Each structure stands twice: as structure tokens, then as C-alpha cells.
Amino acid sequence: MIDKFLELHTLSKSEYLELLQYWENEEVVKRLRTEAVSLRKQYYGDKVFTRGLIEFTNYCKNNCYYCGIRNGNRHVDRYRLTEDEILECCQTGYELGYHTFVLQGGEDPYYHDERMEHIIRAVKNQFPDCALTLSLGEKSYESYRRFREAGADRYLLRHETADETLYRSLHPSSMSLKARKQCLFDLKELGYQVGAGFMVGAPGQTLEHLAEDLVFLQELQPQMIGIGPFVPHHDTIYAEEKAGSVELTLFLLSVIRIMFPKVLLPATTALGTMDPRGREKGLAAGANVVMPNLSPVKNRKLYELYDNKICTGEEAAECRGCLGRRVASAGYRLVEDRGDALV
Ligand code: SAM
Ligand code: FES
């Protein structure tokens, strides 16, 4: 079955489950990692793309049970960035060589469609050679259409889990997997480069759930896939849960690279939080993107999705320098390209 996967790059759900059971088997881990790295080199050489992450609001109307900034958490000091502050972050990033900006936030109704369109147009006017990625959660088809028309190029929306029951247990009844999936298909239809993904080791998650995630990704065919370990947050019902495994995350990065040789795959901040060399290990397992933080330092600690999140005290330039060194130490090269999906 491993030979079959290496040859065909695709399996059935039951075969994925069988494959995932090898995540602690050193020999298999090594075989998959070697293949993942070779595919990644074939398409991207030694390039690693950067995305400047701007966490522009920590207000959220949702209540995902695992998330530190969920609406029900009364201990969060909430903030919003103005359009000018967002543009300043972009300017700082631009001077550091970034050609992609990611605007990420909670689902915050303050940023209604007109306000978002204004921000998108301002960023694209001021930085016409940069790609703009949005990560604002679930919106209507019409809102996504307006944002696309205003100039947004990409959209990140992790599906979180493709299993109905697990989805139910991680979210309140006001949210649904069906709606989440619909958003992803809408985004694809509108011509966005789309990112889906999930947490590894979310409370209650089994290998079977992960196999289901792989099957869903196969169906969606996203251009980007964000996966990182679940990390508990002290003000959630999952405060005492175990964090997701770094090793399993790395194994999944290799599997995903083999399934989607051209995919844009970040070595995530959560991976760096769980292991001081997590992002370097992610690159060595098949990842080819890093997302340094461009948010103003005064706000960073307040965008606390989980405990001990890294990069919350650093200036943008420090983060850029730090990641450049980390990427080089993994044997890769941080580049300034927009880093669009290869079709
Ligand atoms: N509101 C937007 C959305 O829903 O896509 C973007 C912000 S949301 C906080 C970004 C991602 O953070 C989520 O998709 C989730 O996978 C991740 N996240 C939230 N809580 C986490 C935790 N405790 N551990 C690891 N990742 C977490
Ligand atoms: Fe942010 Fe290292 S990447 S400080």
C-alpha cells in the first residue's frame, strides 16, 4: 500500500487510514519524507515563500470551542486595526521584501462588506505587485464575490475537520460543516486561490478522521493547505487536553506533499510553538511557505488563539530575520516572489 501511494499519489479512505497508522514507523516516515522533499524540489527548488500575516481584529462572533479569541471568552482584550494601521503593516512588510499580505481576523461584523472592500482596494492600489490573501471566516457568496472584485487574490479557510460528528463536537450548533464546505466551493468558483486545512490532534480526533480530511482535500483540490497541531488555550473547555503531536503533523505534511506535489504548504506558527525547531522540521518534511507576523507588536499578544504562541514580542524585521535564518538552516532559501499557485 505504501508503494501504491508513492506510485499513484492517491488512495481510498481505508487505505489512507492504513497509511496513517505508520506515522511512528521510522522507516515509513523516512520513505515518505524523502519522496515529499524530492517532489517539492522538483517544483519549487530550494525556494520558500513568505506571507506577511496581519492579524487585524481579534473580535469574533463565533464560539469555536478550541479557540482562545472565541466570542464567549470574556478575558480577551479586544482590538481592531484601522485601515491606516493595516496599510502601515503592509508598508513595513513591503520594505522587508514581502509580496503577499494575509489579512486574518475573527469573524468581526464591524468589517462589513463596504469597509472590507475599501481596505482591499487600498492595499491593492498601494501595493499593486503584491498578492492579497483574506482569512475572515465564513461569508456569503455575494461578499466573497465583492472582495474578489475589489482585488483579493486568495482565501484561507480551514475546513477544520471533514467529519460531521467531530465538527459538531468542536463547534456550537450555529456552525456547520456543510456551510464551511460550501464556502470553500464558492471561493473556488469565484477564482480565488483557496486554502483549506485542519488542526492535528484536535480533541476527539482519530486517525480515521484524518483519513476523511485527506479524502476531502482530494475532492476540493485546494491550492494551499494549512495544517498545524492543536494547542490548548487556558480559557477554553479544552484547557487540559493534550496538544497535537509534532511528529504526526510532520508525517501529514509529507503525505500531503505527495498527494499534491504543487501545493503551497506552510510550516505553521503552531508547529513552531510546539517545537522550537518545528518550522524547520516542517520545511524538511515537505512544507514550502512560512508566515511571519506583521501585526503591530502592541496587538500581537492579544491575538492569542492558543497558549504560548510564538513571535508575539518581536518586531516585524526581527521575525523576518529570524525566519530567514531558520529557512537557511533547513537548507532552503527565503524568496521575495508573490508565490502564486502553480497550475
Ligand atoms: N476567523 C477565520 C476563520 O475562521 O478561518 C480566521 C481566524 S481562525 C482563529 C484561524 C485558525 O486558527 C483556525 O482555522 C484554526 O484552525 C486555528 N486555531 C484556532 N484555535 C486553535 C488552537 N487552539 N490550536 C491550534 N490552532 C487553532
Ligand atoms: Fe517570528 Fe522567529 S519567526 S520571531
Side-chain angles (χ1 to χ4, degrees):
M1 188 270 316
I2 297 186
D3 291 327
K4 181 176 172 189
F5 181 55
L6 291 176
E7 193 192 327
L8 300 179
H9 296 193
T10 177
L11 295 172
S12 66
K13 184 181 166 193
S14 59
E15 290 168 328
Y16 278 128
L17 177 57
E18 201 185 327
L19 176 72
L20 292 176
Q21 277 154 358
Y22 286 98
W23 72 275
E24 288 174 296
N25 178 311
E26 262 179 55
E27 199 187 309
V28 175
V29 169
K30 208 165 147 209
R31 265 187 89 191
L32 295 198
R33 192 174 54 215
T34 306
E35 177 66 8
V37 166
S38 137
L39 286 167
R40 171 217 192 294
K41 282 232 158 105
Q42 186 180 327
Y43 291 103
Y44 293 105
D46 61 355
K47 286 185 181 183
V48 170
F49 302 112
T50 43
R51 308 338 190 164
L53 181 65
I54 303 167
E55 299 155 335
F56 72 100
T57 172
N58 69 351
Y59 282 83
C60 192
K61 68 178 170 63
N62 287 337
N63 248 316
C64 307
Y65 298 142
Y66 45 83
C67 184
I69 63 165
R70 72 188 205 291
N71 184 274
N73 185 0
R74 299 281 156 230
H75 302 293
V76 182
D77 190 359
R78 306 279 172 178
Y79 73 89
R80 292 182 173 115
L81 299 189
T82 62
E83 183 174 307
D84 283 347
E85 285 176 307
I86 293 172
L87 289 168
E88 271 169 42
C89 293
C90 295
Q91 183 60 36
T92 305
Y94 194 75
E95 286 163 17
L96 291 168
Y98 296 124
H99 286 93
T100 291
F101 303 118
V102 182
L103 291 185
Q104 188 184 89
E107 288 197 17
D108 181 357
Y110 171 83
Y111 296 92
H112 50 66
D113 288 359
E114 291 92 284
R115 192 168 264 137
M116 261 341 284
E117 283 175 310
H118 202 273
I119 294 171
I120 295 165
R121 290 215 159 88
V123 172
K124 290 296 284 191
N125 277 337
Q126 208 164 315
F127 306 97
D129 53 338
C130 294
L132 180 58
T133 306
L134 303 178
S135 180
L136 323 172
E138 296 174 29
K139 304 272 173 190
S140 67
Y141 185 92
E142 179 57 14
S143 301
Y144 287 149
R145 194 192 60 71
R146 290 174 65 165
F147 301 161
R148 179 90 183 104
E149 204 152 89
D153 303 283
R154 309 178 187 148
Y155 206 104
L156 302 178
L157 185 78
R158 290 183 174 183
H159 63 280
E160 311 296 359
T161 169
D163 181 85
E164 235 9 290
T165 312
L166 183 61
Y167 193 94
R168 264 290 51 80
S169 78
L170 295 171
H171 302 95
S173 56
S174 53
M175 297 177 74
S176 79
L177 177 59
K178 192 161 168 265
R180 194 105 184 147
K181 284 185 172 176
Q182 188 56 51
C183 287
L184 285 162
F185 288 110
D186 288 349
L187 289 161
K188 276 211 95 176
E189 191 181 306
L190 286 161
Y192 284 91
Q193 293 172 45
V194 171
F198 52 88
M199 291 180 292
V200 179
Q205 184 188 63
T206 62
L207 292 181
E208 196 166 357
H209 293 137
L210 290 169
E212 186 71 47
D213 286 321
L214 298 179
V215 170
F216 173 66
L217 291 174
Q218 216 157 251
E219 179 194 346
L220 180 69
Q221 293 288 323
Q223 285 87 0
M224 306 169 282
I225 297 174
I227 66 162
F230 157 76
V231 187
H233 183 283
H234 60 277
D235 274 326
T236 63
I237 54 167
Y238 297 132
E240 304 303 326
E241 291 286 329
K242 247 180 51 202
S245 153
V246 169
E247 299 309 319
L248 180 54
T249 306
L250 296 173
F251 185 75
L252 281 159
L253 285 172
S254 296
V255 169
I256 289 171
R257 170 62 63 203
I258 296 168
M259 290 172 69
F260 308 97
K262 297 181 187 172
V263 80
L264 291 155
L265 190 60
T268 55
T269 307
L271 192 54
T273 297
M274 289 310 299
D275 180 325
R277 286 186 57 81
R279 286 166 298 175
E280 292 88 320
K281 291 179 182 173
L283 296 173
N288 64 339
V289 171
V290 288
M291 298 176 69
N293 201 321
L294 270 184
S295 313
V297 174
K298 68 175 169 42
N299 303 109
R300 284 198 195 180
K301 281 199 179 13
L302 305 178
Y303 198 81
E304 191 191 48
L305 308 181
Y306 46 79
D307 291 342
N308 306 314
K309 184 166 167 246
I310 53 169
C311 302
T312 55
E314 280 75 11
E315 293 290 345
E318 290 175 78
C319 237
R320 171 67 174 77
C322 163
L323 264 177
R325 286 188 295 279
R326 287 174 184 276
V327 167
S329 83
Y332 293 101
R333 183 170 53 97
L334 208 53
V335 295
E336 296 189 356
D337 316 13
R338 265 174 58 126
D340 285 295
L342 300 174
V343 276

